[in-house]
């Protein structure tokens, strides 16, 4: 079977299996939920900030070589890392872990792993992340995925500061297996009916503790053991650096947009009409870009894009690619609201100028109100508005809080709000990426929400109601 068929088979198995919290699902972290190793993000950040002790770096390299050549465990590396953090505030490391997750680690999370986690959550299983990493590394992802329990290597903290010592066993090999067994005994988990997911050769003992071992992207040693014991193997699509083909496709897509923009401006000059130019670019540009990038859009509910115009179209925002997706859907007679920084982004600024986008300065309420005043005139003249109520791109598919500006505008103009729910755009182009990967973006356009009888006192309820619609749609995708 293909990788996609293998994933669907596992998801179907989970859905058809037993429900309830007595069934556990235990996930390794590095290499299993994410591609690569989270420690790399911490090391690179320390090097950039020139906070690396050369002697400590040499010791780390030697310990790493010992692991690779002699098969020793990760204990020595963890002890070196703990010593390097001596004296640092625990709160500062928690903040560092959250920042590095947003900036680096979030883009390495396997979408397939997210789907597996969701499948177990729908069954009401008890989920736990089990890793030799520290909670500063693993905690942010566990929080984003909604995994309540984190079994990891502990670093000793006294009076809010790290002592430089490891607190207890490093959860590697046998120690990880023991930690899972202890957790299961303490929480009434039936291990023979539970699931375990891991990728490393050192995880054999961990996977032996559960009745349903499912190696993900296994190393050669684990793959051999899995074949001997009949453990089903899943391999995910690579999440490493994009190859030459995606880079070339992305460059071609940007070139296609630039060419379309030039033609559109020419048409606008000939017809003395900015709207003619914008409608041409918004209609043709996304089609050209999507074709050259190898990206398809699979949309449900497209009739809601046209049934009530003008409207305020609100969409969830994880990727720069969302701009192309929204343009492809709306096609004509719309403008947008964007953060002020995009006015200086060479990829967006020309389109922003053509569409007469309203740029708002986050944190400056007075400037934002002034910038949005022309938007009301556009809505009244028949021009729709596209806006991301999260206010900025999220690092992961998890929906962020909604700001209320879009809903105030809709109520003031007495136009409907149309929710446009986007799925998979972050897989095509992650928040911090400049390269698009070929694939499919799913979109669900929900029925327009009327505002004709609402006042500004109803905005909070309107905002909350529509955000709940987004969450429900992302949780239970139409037709899935």
């Amino acid at each position: 079977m293909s990788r996609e068929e293998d994933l669907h088979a596992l998801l179907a198995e989970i859905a058809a299996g037993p429900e309830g919290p007595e069934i556990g699902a235990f996930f390794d972290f590095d290499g299993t939920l994410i591609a690569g190793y989270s420690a790399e993000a911490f090391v690179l950040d320390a090097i950039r900030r020139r906070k690396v002790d050369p002697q400590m770096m040499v010791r780390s390299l030697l310990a790493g070589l010992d692991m690779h050549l002699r098969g020793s465990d990760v204990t020595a590396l963890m002890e070196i890392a703990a010593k390097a953090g001596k004296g640092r505030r625990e709160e500062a490391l928690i903040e560092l872990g959250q920042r590095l997750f947003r900036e680096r680690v979030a883009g390495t999370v396997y979408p397939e792993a997210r789907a597996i986690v969701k499948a177990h959550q729908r069954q009401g299983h008890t989920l736990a992340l089990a890793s030799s990493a520290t909670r500063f590394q693993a905690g942010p992802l566990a929080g984003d995925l909604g995994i309540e329990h984190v079994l990891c290597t502990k670093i000793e903290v006294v009076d809010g500061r790290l002592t430089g010592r490891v607190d207890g066993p490093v959860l590697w090999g046998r120690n990880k297996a023991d930690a899972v067994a202890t957790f299961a005994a303490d929480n009434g988990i039936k291990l023979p009916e539970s699931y375990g997911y891991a990728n490393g050769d050192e995880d054999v003992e961990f996977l032996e503790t559960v009745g349903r071992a499912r190696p993900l992207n296994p190393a050669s040693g684990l793959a051999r053991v899995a074949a001997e014991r009949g453990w089903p193997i899943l391999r995910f699509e690579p999440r490493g650096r994009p190859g030459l083909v995606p880079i070339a496709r992305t460059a071609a897509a940007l070139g296609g947009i630039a060419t379309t923009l030039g033609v559109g401006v020419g048409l606008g000059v000939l017809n003395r009409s900015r709207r003619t130019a914008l409608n041409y670019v918004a209609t043709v540009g996304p089609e050209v870009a999507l074709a050259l990038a190898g990206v398809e859009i699979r949309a449900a509910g497209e009739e809601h894009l046209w049934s009530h115009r003008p409207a305020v179209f609100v969409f969830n925002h994880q990727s720069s690619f969302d701009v192309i997706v929204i343009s492809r859907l709306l096609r004509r007679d719309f403008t947008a609201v964007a953060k002020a920084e995009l006015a200086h982004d060479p990829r967006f600024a020309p389109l922003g100028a053509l569409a007469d986008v309203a740029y708002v300065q986050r944190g400056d309420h007075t400037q934002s109100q002034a910038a949005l005043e022309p938007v009301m005139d556009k809505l009244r003249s028949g021009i729709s508005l596209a806006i991301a109520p999260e206010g900025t791109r999220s690092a992961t598919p998890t929906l962020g809080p909604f700001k209320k500006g879009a809903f105030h505008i809709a109520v003031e103009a007495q136009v409907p709000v149309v929710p446009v729910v986007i799925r998979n755009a972050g897989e095509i182009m992650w928040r911090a990426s400049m390269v698009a990967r070929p694939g499919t973006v799913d979109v669900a356009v929900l029925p327009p929400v009327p505002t004709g009888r609402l006042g500004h006192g109803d905005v909070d309820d309107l905002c909350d109601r529509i955000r709940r619609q987004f969450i429900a749609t992302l949780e239970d995708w139409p037709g899935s």
Side-chain angles (χ1 to χ4, degrees):
M1 291 193 294
S2 68
R3 291 176 177 177
E4 187 174 358
E5 290 170 333
D6 286 340
L7 174 62
H8 287 168
L10 173 60
L11 298 179
E13 174 197 341
I14 296 168
E19 302 178 14
E22 68 275 9
I23 307 300
F26 299 92
F27 294 86
D28 176 47
F29 176 40
D30 292 304
T32 300
L33 292 174
I34 67 171
Y37 296 90
S38 57
E40 180 181 328
F42 285 77
V43 172
L44 290 175
D45 185 73
I47 291 173
R48 282 197 306 273
R49 293 170 176 269
R50 299 180 181 179
K51 293 185 176 181
V52 177
D53 182 337
Q55 186 178 15
M56 202 75 74
M57 182 63 74
V58 171
R59 290 180 59 196
S60 298
L61 290 172
L62 291 175
L65 283 173
D66 191 46
M67 285 179 59
H68 180 70
L69 298 175
R70 297 172 52 191
S72 60
D73 67 25
V74 77
T75 299
L77 269 175
M78 295 303 299
E79 290 174 345
I80 292 169
K83 190 172 183 179
K86 183 178 180 180
R88 299 192 67 178
R89 291 187 301 112
E90 179 185 27
E91 182 181 344
L93 279 174
I94 293 173
E95 292 173 356
L96 175 63
Q98 292 284 359
R99 177 174 65 81
L100 293 180
F101 174 72
R102 291 191 303 269
E103 294 177 357
R104 293 186 169 273
V105 178
T108 68
V109 179
Y110 287 110
E112 300 92 335
R114 285 186 178 277
I116 295 170
V117 168
K118 288 287 186 185
H120 284 291
Q121 290 169 334
R122 282 193 290 270
Q123 293 294 94
H125 296 165
T126 298
L127 278 68
L129 192 154
S131 172
S132 61
T134 68
R135 65 187 176 93
F136 308 119
Q137 297 163 258
L141 176 59
D144 181 71
L145 293 176
I147 297 177
E148 181 179 359
H149 306 285
V150 179
L151 314 177
C152 62
T153 299
K154 297 178 181 178
I155 305 298
E156 188 179 65
V157 177
V158 175
D159 295 330
R161 292 188 180 272
L162 277 64
T163 66
R165 293 186 293 271
V166 175
D167 184 7
V170 173
L171 297 199
W172 177 273
R174 183 73 253 168
N175 289 339
K176 183 191 289 189
D178 290 343
V180 168
T182 300
F183 174 85
D186 291 343
N187 291 274
I189 305 298
K190 299 178 180 178
L191 284 176
E193 298 181 52
S194 295
Y195 293 77
Y197 301 94
N199 74 297
D201 295 344
E202 74 281 358
D203 287 316
V204 170
E205 291 173 300
F206 155 51
L207 292 176
E208 287 175 335
T209 64
V210 299
R212 296 184 172 96
R214 300 293 182 263
L216 305 181
N217 312 307
S220 57
L222 177 56
R224 285 195 298 272
V225 173
E228 293 168 2
R229 304 193 183 178
W231 294 344
I233 288 174
L234 278 82
R235 294 192 183 276
F236 299 156
E237 292 295 327
R239 298 295 295 172
R241 293 176 180 173
L244 291 177
V245 172
I247 292 174
R249 279 182 170 273
T250 302
L254 291 173
I257 291 175
T259 301
T260 305
L261 180 61
V263 174
V265 170
L267 287 172
V269 171
L270 288 173
N271 290 277
R272 298 182 180 180
S273 169
R274 173 183 284 189
R275 183 176 295 191
T276 297
L278 175 60
N279 287 343
Y280 175 84
V281 173
T283 301
V284 178
E287 297 287 2
V288 171
L290 290 166
L292 292 172
V295 176
E296 295 183 3
I297 293 181
R298 185 166 49 201
E302 284 190 271
E303 66 275 12
H304 301 312
L305 296 169
W306 306 101
S307 60
H308 294 76
R309 285 209 181 190
V312 174
F313 293 92
V314 293
F315 63 96
N316 53 314
H317 193 21
Q318 192 193 349
S319 169
S320 298
F321 212 78
D322 296 333
V323 175
I324 295 176
V325 173
I326 289 296
S327 294
R328 156 63 178 78
L329 293 169
L330 300 186
R331 292 183 177 271
R332 65 174 187 266
D333 299 331
F334 72 94
T335 186
V337 173
K339 60 184 180 180
E341 298 94 294
L342 286 177
H344 308 291
D345 186 329
R347 297 170 300 170
F348 183 83
L351 293 173
L354 182 63
D356 200 17
V357 165
Y359 292 105
V360 295
Q361 188 73 46
R362 288 180 292 188
D364 188 336
H365 182 68
T366 301
Q367 184 277 337
S368 297
Q369 278 191 321
L372 291 175
E373 285 179 8
V375 171
M376 302 301 301
D377 294 332
K378 289 185 174 67
L379 282 166
R380 294 185 181 108
S381 69
I383 302 296
S384 293
L385 174 67
I387 185 170
E390 290 169 284
T392 188
R393 288 170 292 171
S394 58
T396 74
T398 303
L399 197 68
F402 275 11
K403 293 177 170 55
K404 297 168 187 172
F407 308 100
H408 275 292
I409 292 170
V411 169
E412 178 71 21
Q414 294 288 280
V415 298
V417 179
V418 181
V420 181
V421 189
I422 302 173
R423 185 176 73 164
N424 303 346
E427 298 171 24
I428 299 298
M429 180 182 279
W430 178 51
R431 178 175 182 262
S433 177
M434 298 288 288
V435 178
R437 301 170 185 267
T440 300
V441 177
D442 289 325
V443 178
V445 186
L446 306 185
V449 178
T451 64
R453 297 183 179 181
L454 302 182
H456 286 292
D458 301 306
V459 165
D460 287 357
D461 178 68
L462 177 65
C463 177
D464 292 341
R465 180 155 47 102
I466 290 179
R467 187 174 183 275
R468 288 196 299 270
Q469 288 185 328
F470 273 81
I471 293 172
T473 304
L474 290 167
E475 286 285 340
D476 187 13
W477 195 258
S480 63

